[in-house]
Amino acid sequence: MRIIHNRFIPFKKYDAINLFGILFCRKGVTVTTDLIQHERIHTRQMWELLVVGFYLWYIAEWLIRLPMKGRAYSNISMEREAYDHMDDPNYLLHRKPYAWVKYLRNSK
């Protein structure tokens, strides 16, 4: 995974963002193995939805979850899968396609 450190992307509240499989990190952010694994899970999700579909689904789900209880970002199914498995370096070896779908049913 290519990693680019900069001052502009992502917004200040976030440490990193995965855009088309490239990880953009704010300057000064420590890139951990957990963070890389989290973003690799997102990259797999992107390929499953042919990249554009990932971003469309992500934004649509975020908008739907905005009025719901809790923080919309942390209730997005794709984020929940990535956070749940970011400490498992072997997760992508046994992950089933579209595993994020099971996180749609229950929000935190």
Side-chain angles (χ1 to χ4, degrees), residues 35-107:
L35 175 61
I36 291 172
Q37 178 68 1
H38 178 99
E39 298 305 336
R40 283 183 176 151
I41 293 167
H42 284 321
T43 299
R44 182 71 58 89
Q45 295 165 343
M46 285 179 206
W47 290 121
E48 289 172 347
L49 295 173
L50 305 175
V51 183
V52 173
F54 170 85
Y55 292 107
L56 292 174
W57 184 274
Y58 192 100
I59 291 167
E61 189 174 346
W62 179 76
L63 289 170
I64 289 167
R65 294 187 184 280
L66 269 177
M68 295 178 174
K69 184 179 177 182
R71 192 168 167 223
Y73 165 80
S74 51
N75 283 322
I76 295 171
S77 57
M78 294 170 178
E79 288 298 341
R80 293 178 55 223
E81 178 193 10
Y83 277 111
D84 279 358
H85 301 285
M86 64 192 245
D87 60 349
D88 179 358
N90 297 315
Y91 178 65
L92 290 174
L93 297 174
H94 58 80
R95 179 186 178 269
K96 293 182 180 174
Y98 303 95
W100 55 271
V101 171
K102 73 178 181 182
Y103 290 90
L104 285 170
R105 295 185 198 111
N106 304 316
S107 63

Coordinates of all heavy atoms in Angstrom, one line a residue, residues 35-107:
L35 N -3.4 0.3 11.6 CA -4.0 1.2 10.7 C -3.8 0.7 9.2 O -4.8 0.8 8.4 CB -3.3 2.6 10.8 CG -3.6 3.7 9.8 CD1 -5.1 4.0 9.9 CD2 -2.8 4.9 10.0
I36 N -2.7 0.2 8.9 CA -2.5 -0.4 7.5 C -3.5 -1.5 7.3 O -4.1 -1.6 6.2 CB -1.0 -0.8 7.3 CG1 -0.1 0.5 7.3 CG2 -0.9 -1.6 6.1 CD1 1.3 0.2 7.3
Q37 N -3.6 -2.4 8.2 CA -4.6 -3.5 8.1 C -6.0 -3.0 7.9 O -6.8 -3.4 7.0 CB -4.5 -4.4 9.3 CG -5.5 -5.6 9.2 CD -5.2 -6.6 8.1 OE1 -4.3 -6.5 7.4 NE2 -6.0 -7.6 8.0
H38 N -6.4 -2.0 8.7 CA -7.7 -1.3 8.6 C -7.9 -0.8 7.1 O -9.0 -1.1 6.5 CB -7.8 -0.2 9.6 CG -9.1 0.6 9.5 ND1 -10.1 0.3 10.4 CD2 -9.5 1.6 8.7 CE1 -11.1 1.1 10.2 NE2 -10.8 1.9 9.2
E39 N -7.0 -0.2 6.6 CA -7.1 0.4 5.3 C -7.0 -0.7 4.2 O -7.6 -0.5 3.1 CB -6.0 1.5 5.0 CG -6.2 2.7 6.0 CD -7.6 3.3 6.0 OE1 -8.3 3.2 5.0 OE2 -7.9 4.0 7.0
R40 N -6.3 -1.7 4.4 CA -6.2 -2.8 3.5 C -7.6 -3.5 3.4 O -8.0 -3.9 2.3 CB -5.2 -3.9 3.9 CG -3.8 -3.5 3.5 CD -2.8 -4.5 3.9 NE -1.5 -4.1 3.4 CZ -0.4 -4.5 4.0 NH1 -0.4 -5.3 5.1 NH2 0.8 -4.1 3.6
I41 N -8.3 -3.6 4.5 CA -9.7 -4.1 4.5 C -10.6 -3.2 3.6 O -11.3 -3.7 2.8 CB -10.2 -4.3 5.9 CG1 -9.4 -5.4 6.7 CG2 -11.7 -4.6 5.9 CD1 -9.7 -5.4 8.2
H42 N -10.4 -1.9 3.8 CA -11.2 -1.0 2.9 C -10.8 -1.2 1.5 O -11.7 -1.1 0.6 CB -10.9 0.5 3.3 CG -11.6 0.9 4.6 ND1 -12.9 0.5 4.9 CD2 -11.2 1.7 5.6 CE1 -13.3 1.0 6.0 NE2 -12.3 1.8 6.5
T43 N -9.6 -1.4 1.2 CA -9.2 -1.6 -0.2 C -9.8 -2.8 -0.8 O -10.4 -2.8 -1.9 CB -7.6 -1.7 -0.4 OG1 -7.1 -0.5 0.1 CG2 -7.2 -1.9 -1.8
R44 N -9.9 -3.9 0.0 CA -10.6 -5.1 -0.5 C -12.1 -4.8 -0.7 O -12.7 -5.2 -1.7 CB -10.5 -6.2 0.6 CG -11.1 -7.5 0.2 CD -10.4 -8.3 -0.9 NE -9.0 -8.6 -0.6 CZ -8.6 -9.6 0.0 NH1 -9.4 -10.6 0.4 NH2 -7.3 -9.8 0.2
Q45 N -12.7 -4.0 0.2 CA -14.1 -3.6 0.0 C -14.3 -2.8 -1.3 O -15.3 -3.0 -2.0 CB -14.6 -2.8 1.2 CG -14.6 -3.6 2.5 CD -14.7 -2.7 3.7 OE1 -14.4 -1.5 3.7 NE2 -15.1 -3.2 4.9
M46 N -13.3 -1.9 -1.5 CA -13.4 -1.1 -2.8 C -13.4 -2.0 -4.0 O -14.2 -1.8 -4.9 CB -12.2 -0.2 -2.8 CG -12.2 1.0 -1.9 SD -10.7 1.9 -2.1 CE -10.6 2.7 -0.5
W47 N -12.5 -3.0 -4.1 CA -12.5 -3.8 -5.3 C -13.8 -4.6 -5.4 O -14.2 -4.9 -6.5 CB -11.3 -4.7 -5.2 CG -10.0 -4.0 -5.4 CD1 -8.9 -3.9 -4.5 CD2 -9.6 -3.1 -6.5 NE1 -8.0 -3.1 -5.0 CE2 -8.4 -2.6 -6.2 CE3 -10.3 -2.7 -7.7 CZ2 -7.7 -1.7 -7.1 CZ3 -9.7 -1.9 -8.5 CH2 -8.4 -1.4 -8.3
E48 N -14.4 -5.0 -4.3 CA -15.6 -5.8 -4.4 C -16.7 -5.0 -5.0 O -17.6 -5.5 -5.7 CB -16.1 -6.2 -3.0 CG -15.2 -7.3 -2.4 CD -15.6 -7.6 -0.9 OE1 -16.3 -6.8 -0.3 OE2 -15.1 -8.6 -0.4
L49 N -16.7 -3.7 -4.8 CA -17.8 -2.8 -5.3 C -17.3 -1.9 -6.5 O -17.9 -0.9 -6.8 CB -18.3 -1.9 -4.2 CG -19.0 -2.6 -3.1 CD1 -19.4 -1.7 -1.9 CD2 -20.3 -3.3 -3.6
L50 N -16.2 -2.4 -7.1 CA -15.6 -1.7 -8.3 C -15.3 -0.3 -8.0 O -15.5 0.6 -8.8 CB -16.5 -1.9 -9.5 CG -16.9 -3.3 -9.8 CD1 -17.9 -3.4 -10.9 CD2 -15.7 -4.1 -10.1
V51 N -14.8 0.0 -6.9 CA -14.3 1.3 -6.4 C -15.4 2.4 -6.3 O -15.7 2.9 -5.2 CB -13.0 1.8 -7.2 CG1 -12.5 3.1 -6.6 CG2 -11.9 0.7 -7.2
V52 N -15.9 2.8 -7.4 CA -17.0 3.8 -7.4 C -18.1 3.4 -6.5 O -18.7 4.2 -5.7 CB -17.4 4.2 -8.8 CG1 -18.6 5.2 -8.8 CG2 -16.2 4.8 -9.6
G53 N -18.5 2.2 -6.6 CA -19.6 1.7 -5.8 C -19.3 1.7 -4.3 O -20.2 2.0 -3.5
F54 N -18.1 1.5 -4.0 CA -17.7 1.6 -2.6 C -18.0 3.0 -2.0 O -18.6 3.2 -1.0 CB -16.2 1.3 -2.4 CG -15.6 1.6 -1.0 CD1 -15.7 0.7 0.0 CD2 -15.0 2.9 -0.8 CE1 -15.2 1.0 1.3 CE2 -14.5 3.1 0.5 CZ -14.6 2.2 1.5
Y55 N -17.5 4.0 -2.8 CA -17.7 5.4 -2.3 C -19.2 5.8 -2.3 O -19.6 6.5 -1.4 CB -16.9 6.4 -3.2 CG -15.4 6.2 -2.9 CD1 -14.6 5.6 -3.9 CD2 -14.8 6.5 -1.7 CE1 -13.2 5.4 -3.6 CE2 -13.4 6.3 -1.5 CZ -12.7 5.7 -2.4 OH -11.3 5.5 -2.2
L56 N -19.9 5.4 -3.3 CA -21.4 5.7 -3.3 C -22.1 5.1 -2.1 O -22.9 5.7 -1.5 CB -22.0 5.3 -4.7 CG -21.5 6.0 -5.9 CD1 -22.1 5.3 -7.1 CD2 -21.9 7.5 -5.8
W57 N -21.8 3.8 -1.9 CA -22.4 3.1 -0.8 C -22.0 3.7 0.6 O -22.8 3.9 1.4 CB -22.0 1.6 -0.8 CG -22.7 0.9 0.3 CD1 -22.4 0.7 1.6 CD2 -24.0 0.2 0.2 NE1 -23.3 0.0 2.3 CE2 -24.3 -0.3 1.4 CE3 -24.9 0.0 -0.9 CZ2 -25.5 -1.1 1.6 CZ3 -26.0 -0.7 -0.7 CH2 -26.3 -1.2 0.6
Y58 N -20.7 4.0 0.7 CA -20.2 4.6 1.9 C -20.9 5.9 2.3 O -21.4 6.1 3.4 CB -18.7 4.8 1.8 CG -17.9 5.1 3.1 CD1 -17.2 4.1 3.7 CD2 -17.9 6.4 3.6 CE1 -16.5 4.4 4.9 CE2 -17.3 6.7 4.8 CZ -16.6 5.7 5.4 OH -15.9 6.0 6.6
I59 N -21.0 6.8 1.3 CA -21.6 8.1 1.5 C -23.1 7.9 1.8 O -23.7 8.5 2.7 CB -21.4 9.0 0.3 CG1 -19.9 9.4 0.3 CG2 -22.3 10.2 0.4 CD1 -19.5 10.1 -1.0
A60 N -23.8 7.0 1.0 CA -25.2 6.8 1.3 C -25.5 6.2 2.7 O -26.4 6.7 3.4 CB -25.8 5.8 0.2
E61 N -24.7 5.3 3.1 CA -24.9 4.7 4.4 C -24.6 5.7 5.5 O -25.3 5.8 6.5 CB -24.0 3.5 4.6 CG -24.3 2.7 5.9 CD -23.6 1.4 6.1 OE1 -23.0 0.9 5.1 OE2 -23.6 0.9 7.2
W62 N -23.6 6.6 5.3 CA -23.3 7.6 6.2 C -24.5 8.6 6.4 O -24.9 8.9 7.5 CB -22.0 8.4 5.8 CG -21.6 9.5 6.7 CD1 -21.0 9.4 8.0 CD2 -21.8 10.9 6.5 NE1 -20.8 10.6 8.5 CE2 -21.3 11.6 7.6 CE3 -22.4 11.6 5.4 CZ2 -21.3 13.0 7.7 CZ3 -22.4 13.0 5.5 CH2 -21.9 13.6 6.6
L63 N -25.0 9.0 5.2 CA -26.2 9.9 5.3 C -27.4 9.3 6.0 O -28.1 9.9 6.7 CB -26.6 10.3 3.8 CG -25.6 11.2 3.1 CD1 -26.0 11.4 1.7 CD2 -25.6 12.6 3.8
I64 N -27.6 8.0 5.7 CA -28.7 7.3 6.4 C -28.5 7.2 7.9 O -29.5 7.3 8.7 CB -28.9 5.9 5.8 CG1 -29.5 6.0 4.4 CG2 -29.8 5.0 6.6 CD1 -29.4 4.7 3.6
R65 N -27.3 7.0 8.3 CA -27.0 6.8 9.7 C -26.8 8.2 10.5 O -26.8 8.2 11.7 CB -25.7 6.0 9.9 CG -26.0 4.5 9.4 CD -24.8 3.6 9.7 NE -25.0 2.3 9.2 CZ -25.8 1.3 9.8 NH1 -26.4 1.6 10.9 NH2 -25.9 0.2 9.2
L66 N -26.8 9.3 9.8 CA -26.6 10.6 10.5 C -27.7 10.8 11.6 O -27.3 11.2 12.7 CB -26.6 11.7 9.5 CG -25.3 12.1 8.9 CD1 -25.5 13.2 7.8 CD2 -24.4 12.6 10.0
P67 N -29.0 10.6 11.3 CA -30.0 10.9 12.3 C -30.1 9.8 13.4 O -30.8 9.9 14.4 CB -31.3 11.0 11.5 CG -31.0 10.2 10.3 CD -29.6 10.3 10.0
M68 N -29.4 8.7 13.2 CA -29.5 7.6 14.1 C -28.6 7.8 15.4 O -27.7 8.7 15.3 CB -29.0 6.3 13.5 CG -29.9 5.8 12.3 SD -29.3 4.3 11.6 CE -30.6 3.9 10.5
K69 N -28.8 7.0 16.4 CA -28.1 7.2 17.6 C -26.6 6.8 17.4 O -26.3 5.9 16.7 CB -28.7 6.2 18.7 CG -28.0 6.4 20.0 CD -28.6 5.4 21.0 CE -27.9 5.5 22.4 NZ -28.4 4.6 23.4
G70 N -25.7 7.6 18.0 CA -24.3 7.3 17.9 C -23.7 8.1 16.7 O -24.4 8.8 16.0
R71 N -22.4 7.9 16.5 CA -21.7 8.6 15.5 C -21.9 7.9 14.2 O -21.6 6.7 14.1 CB -20.2 8.7 15.9 CG -19.4 9.6 15.1 CD -18.0 9.8 15.7 NE -17.2 10.5 14.7 CZ -15.9 10.1 14.5 NH1 -15.4 9.2 15.3 NH2 -15.2 10.8 13.6
A72 N -22.3 8.6 13.1 CA -22.6 7.9 11.8 C -21.4 7.2 11.3 O -21.5 6.1 10.8 CB -23.1 9.0 10.8
Y73 N -20.2 7.8 11.4 CA -19.0 7.2 10.9 C -18.7 5.9 11.5 O -18.4 4.9 10.8 CB -17.8 8.2 11.1 CG -16.5 7.6 11.0 CD1 -15.9 7.4 9.7 CD2 -15.7 7.1 12.1 CE1 -14.7 6.8 9.5 CE2 -14.5 6.5 11.9 CZ -14.0 6.4 10.7 OH -12.7 5.8 10.5
S74 N -18.8 5.8 12.8 CA -18.5 4.5 13.4 C -19.6 3.5 13.3 O -19.4 2.3 13.7 CB -18.1 4.7 14.9 OG -19.1 5.5 15.6
N75 N -20.7 3.8 12.8 CA -21.8 2.9 12.5 C -21.8 2.4 11.1 O -22.6 1.5 10.8 CB -23.1 3.4 12.9 CG -23.3 3.4 14.4 OD1 -22.9 2.5 15.1 ND2 -23.9 4.4 15.0
I76 N -21.0 2.9 10.2 CA -21.0 2.5 8.8 C -20.5 1.0 8.8 O -19.5 0.7 9.4 CB -20.1 3.4 8.0 CG1 -20.7 4.8 7.9 CG2 -19.9 2.8 6.6 CD1 -19.7 5.8 7.3
S77 N -21.2 0.2 8.1 CA -20.9 -1.3 8.1 C -19.4 -1.5 7.7 O -18.7 -2.4 8.3 CB -21.8 -2.0 7.2 OG -21.8 -1.5 5.9
M78 N -18.9 -0.8 6.7 CA -17.6 -1.1 6.2 C -16.5 -0.6 7.3 O -15.5 -1.3 7.4 CB -17.3 -0.3 4.9 CG -18.2 -0.9 3.8 SD -18.1 0.2 2.4 CE -19.1 -0.8 1.2
E79 N -16.8 0.4 8.0 CA -15.9 0.8 9.1 C -15.9 -0.2 10.2 O -14.9 -0.5 10.8 CB -16.3 2.2 9.6 CG -16.0 3.3 8.7 CD -14.5 3.5 8.4 OE1 -13.6 3.0 9.1 OE2 -14.2 4.1 7.4
R80 N -17.1 -0.7 10.5 CA -17.2 -1.7 11.6 C -16.4 -2.9 11.3 O -15.8 -3.5 12.2 CB -18.7 -1.9 11.9 CG -19.4 -0.7 12.5 CD -20.8 -0.8 12.8 NE -21.1 -1.9 13.6 CZ -22.1 -2.8 13.5 NH1 -22.9 -2.7 12.4 NH2 -22.2 -3.8 14.3
E81 N -16.5 -3.4 10.1 CA -15.7 -4.6 9.7 C -14.2 -4.3 9.8 O -13.5 -5.1 10.4 CB -16.0 -5.0 8.3 CG -15.2 -6.2 7.9 CD -15.1 -6.6 6.4 OE1 -15.7 -5.8 5.6 OE2 -14.6 -7.6 6.1
A82 N -13.8 -3.1 9.3 CA -12.4 -2.8 9.3 C -11.9 -2.6 10.8 O -10.8 -3.1 11.1 CB -12.1 -1.5 8.5
Y83 N -12.7 -2.0 11.6 CA -12.2 -1.8 13.0 C -12.2 -3.2 13.8 O -11.4 -3.4 14.6 CB -13.1 -0.8 13.8 CG -12.7 0.6 13.6 CD1 -13.5 1.5 12.8 CD2 -11.5 1.1 14.1 CE1 -13.1 2.8 12.6 CE2 -11.1 2.4 13.9 CZ -11.9 3.2 13.1 OH -11.5 4.5 12.9
D84 N -13.2 -4.0 13.5 CA -13.3 -5.3 14.2 C -12.1 -6.2 13.9 O -11.8 -7.1 14.7 CB -14.6 -6.0 13.9 CG -15.8 -5.5 14.7 OD1 -15.6 -4.7 15.5 OD2 -16.9 -6.0 14.4
H85 N -11.5 -6.0 12.7 CA -10.5 -7.0 12.2 C -9.1 -6.4 12.0 O -8.2 -7.0 11.5 CB -11.0 -7.7 11.0 CG -12.2 -8.5 11.3 ND1 -12.3 -9.7 12.0 CD2 -13.5 -8.2 10.9 CE1 -13.5 -10.1 12.1 NE2 -14.3 -9.2 11.4
M86 N -8.9 -5.1 12.4 CA -7.7 -4.5 12.1 C -6.5 -5.0 12.9 O -5.4 -4.8 12.5 CB -7.8 -2.9 12.2 CG -8.1 -2.4 13.6 SD -8.5 -0.7 13.5 CE -7.1 0.0 14.4
D87 N -6.8 -5.7 13.9 CA -5.7 -6.3 14.7 C -5.4 -7.7 14.3 O -4.6 -8.4 15.0 CB -6.0 -6.2 16.2 CG -7.2 -6.9 16.6 OD1 -8.0 -7.3 15.8 OD2 -7.5 -7.0 17.8
D88 N -6.0 -8.2 13.3 CA -5.8 -9.6 12.8 C -5.1 -9.6 11.5 O -5.7 -9.3 10.4 CB -7.2 -10.3 12.6 CG -7.0 -11.7 12.1 OD1 -5.9 -12.2 11.9 OD2 -8.1 -12.4 12.0
P89 N -3.7 -9.8 11.5 CA -3.0 -9.7 10.2 C -3.3 -10.7 9.2 O -3.0 -10.6 8.0 CB -1.5 -9.9 10.7 CG -1.6 -10.5 12.0 CD -2.9 -10.1 12.6
N90 N -4.0 -11.8 9.6 CA -4.4 -12.9 8.7 C -5.9 -12.8 8.2 O -6.3 -13.6 7.5 CB -4.2 -14.2 9.3 CG -2.8 -14.5 9.6 OD1 -1.9 -14.2 8.8 ND2 -2.5 -14.9 10.9
Y91 N -6.6 -11.7 8.6 CA -8.0 -11.6 8.3 C -8.3 -11.7 6.8 O -9.2 -12.4 6.4 CB -8.6 -10.3 8.9 CG -10.0 -10.1 8.6 CD1 -11.0 -11.0 9.0 CD2 -10.5 -9.1 7.7 CE1 -12.4 -10.9 8.7 CE2 -11.8 -8.9 7.4 CZ -12.7 -9.8 7.9 OH -14.1 -9.7 7.6
L92 N -7.5 -11.0 6.0 CA -7.8 -10.9 4.6 C -7.5 -12.3 3.9 O -8.1 -12.5 2.8 CB -7.0 -9.8 3.9 CG -7.5 -8.4 4.3 CD1 -6.5 -7.4 3.7 CD2 -8.9 -8.2 3.8
L93 N -6.8 -13.2 4.6 CA -6.5 -14.5 4.0 C -7.8 -15.4 4.1 O -7.9 -16.3 3.2 CB -5.4 -15.1 4.7 CG -4.0 -14.5 4.6 CD1 -3.0 -15.1 5.5 CD2 -3.6 -14.4 3.2
H94 N -8.6 -15.2 5.1 CA -9.8 -16.0 5.2 C -11.1 -15.3 5.1 O -12.2 -15.8 5.3 CB -9.7 -16.8 6.6 CG -9.6 -15.9 7.8 ND1 -10.7 -15.3 8.3 CD2 -8.6 -15.6 8.5 CE1 -10.3 -14.6 9.4 NE2 -9.0 -14.8 9.5
R95 N -11.0 -14.0 4.8 CA -12.3 -13.1 4.7 C -13.1 -13.6 3.5 O -12.6 -13.8 2.5 CB -11.9 -11.7 4.6 CG -13.0 -10.7 4.4 CD -12.5 -9.3 4.1 NE -13.6 -8.4 3.9 CZ -14.2 -8.1 2.7 NH1 -13.7 -8.7 1.6 NH2 -15.2 -7.3 2.7
K96 N -14.4 -13.7 3.8 CA -15.3 -14.0 2.7 C -15.7 -12.7 2.0 O -15.8 -11.6 2.6 CB -16.6 -14.7 3.2 CG -16.3 -16.0 3.8 CD -17.5 -16.7 4.3 CE -17.1 -18.1 4.8 NZ -18.3 -18.8 5.5
P97 N -15.9 -12.8 0.6 CA -16.3 -11.6 -0.1 C -17.6 -11.0 0.5 O -18.5 -11.7 1.0 CB -16.6 -12.1 -1.5 CG -15.8 -13.4 -1.6 CD -15.8 -14.0 -0.2
Y98 N -17.6 -9.7 0.5 CA -18.8 -8.9 1.0 C -19.1 -9.2 2.5 O -20.2 -9.1 2.9 CB -20.0 -9.1 0.2 CG -19.8 -8.8 -1.3 CD1 -19.5 -9.8 -2.2 CD2 -19.9 -7.5 -1.7 CE1 -19.2 -9.5 -3.5 CE2 -19.7 -7.2 -3.1 CZ -19.4 -8.2 -4.0 OH -19.1 -7.9 -5.3
A99 N -18.0 -9.4 3.2 CA -18.2 -9.7 4.7 C -18.8 -8.5 5.4 O -19.4 -8.6 6.5 CB -16.8 -10.0 5.3
W100 N -18.6 -7.3 4.9 CA -19.2 -6.1 5.5 C -20.7 -6.1 5.6 O -21.3 -5.4 6.4 CB -18.6 -4.8 4.8 CG -18.9 -4.8 3.3 CD1 -18.1 -5.3 2.3 CD2 -20.1 -4.3 2.7 NE1 -18.8 -5.1 1.1 CE2 -20.0 -4.5 1.3 CE3 -21.3 -3.6 3.2 CZ2 -20.9 -4.1 0.4 CZ3 -22.2 -3.2 2.3 CH2 -22.0 -3.5 0.9
V101 N -21.3 -6.8 4.7 CA -22.8 -6.9 4.6 C -23.4 -7.3 6.0 O -24.4 -6.8 6.4 CB -23.3 -7.8 3.5 CG1 -24.8 -8.0 3.5 CG2 -22.9 -7.1 2.1
K102 N -22.8 -8.2 6.7 CA -23.3 -8.7 7.9 C -23.4 -7.6 9.0 O -24.1 -7.7 9.9 CB -22.6 -9.9 8.4 CG -21.2 -9.7 9.0 CD -20.6 -10.9 9.5 CE -19.3 -10.7 10.1 NZ -18.6 -11.9 10.6
Y103 N -22.6 -6.5 8.8 CA -22.6 -5.4 9.7 C -23.7 -4.4 9.5 O -23.9 -3.5 10.2 CB -21.2 -4.7 9.7 CG -20.1 -5.5 10.3 CD1 -19.3 -6.4 9.5 CD2 -19.8 -5.4 11.6 CE1 -18.3 -7.1 10.0 CE2 -18.8 -6.2 12.1 CZ -18.0 -7.0 11.3 OH -17.0 -7.8 11.8
L104 N -24.4 -4.6 8.4 CA -25.6 -3.7 8.1 C -26.7 -3.9 9.1 O -27.4 -3.0 9.4 CB -26.1 -4.0 6.7 CG -25.3 -3.5 5.5 CD1 -25.8 -4.0 4.2 CD2 -25.3 -2.0 5.5
R105 N -26.9 -5.1 9.5 CA -28.0 -5.4 10.4 C -28.0 -4.8 11.7 O -29.0 -4.3 12.2 CB -28.1 -7.0 10.6 CG -28.4 -7.7 9.3 CD -28.6 -9.2 9.5 NE -28.4 -9.8 8.2 CZ -27.4 -10.6 7.9 NH1 -26.5 -10.9 8.8 NH2 -27.3 -11.1 6.7
N106 N -26.9 -4.8 12.4 CA -26.8 -4.3 13.7 C -25.8 -3.1 13.8 O -24.7 -3.2 13.4 CB -26.3 -5.4 14.7 CG -27.2 -6.6 14.7 OD1 -28.4 -6.4 14.6 ND2 -26.6 -7.7 14.7
S107 N -26.3 -2.0 14.3 CA -25.4 -0.9 14.6 C -25.0 -0.9 16.0 O -25.6 -1.6 16.8 CB -26.0 0.5 14.2 OG -27.1 0.7 15.0

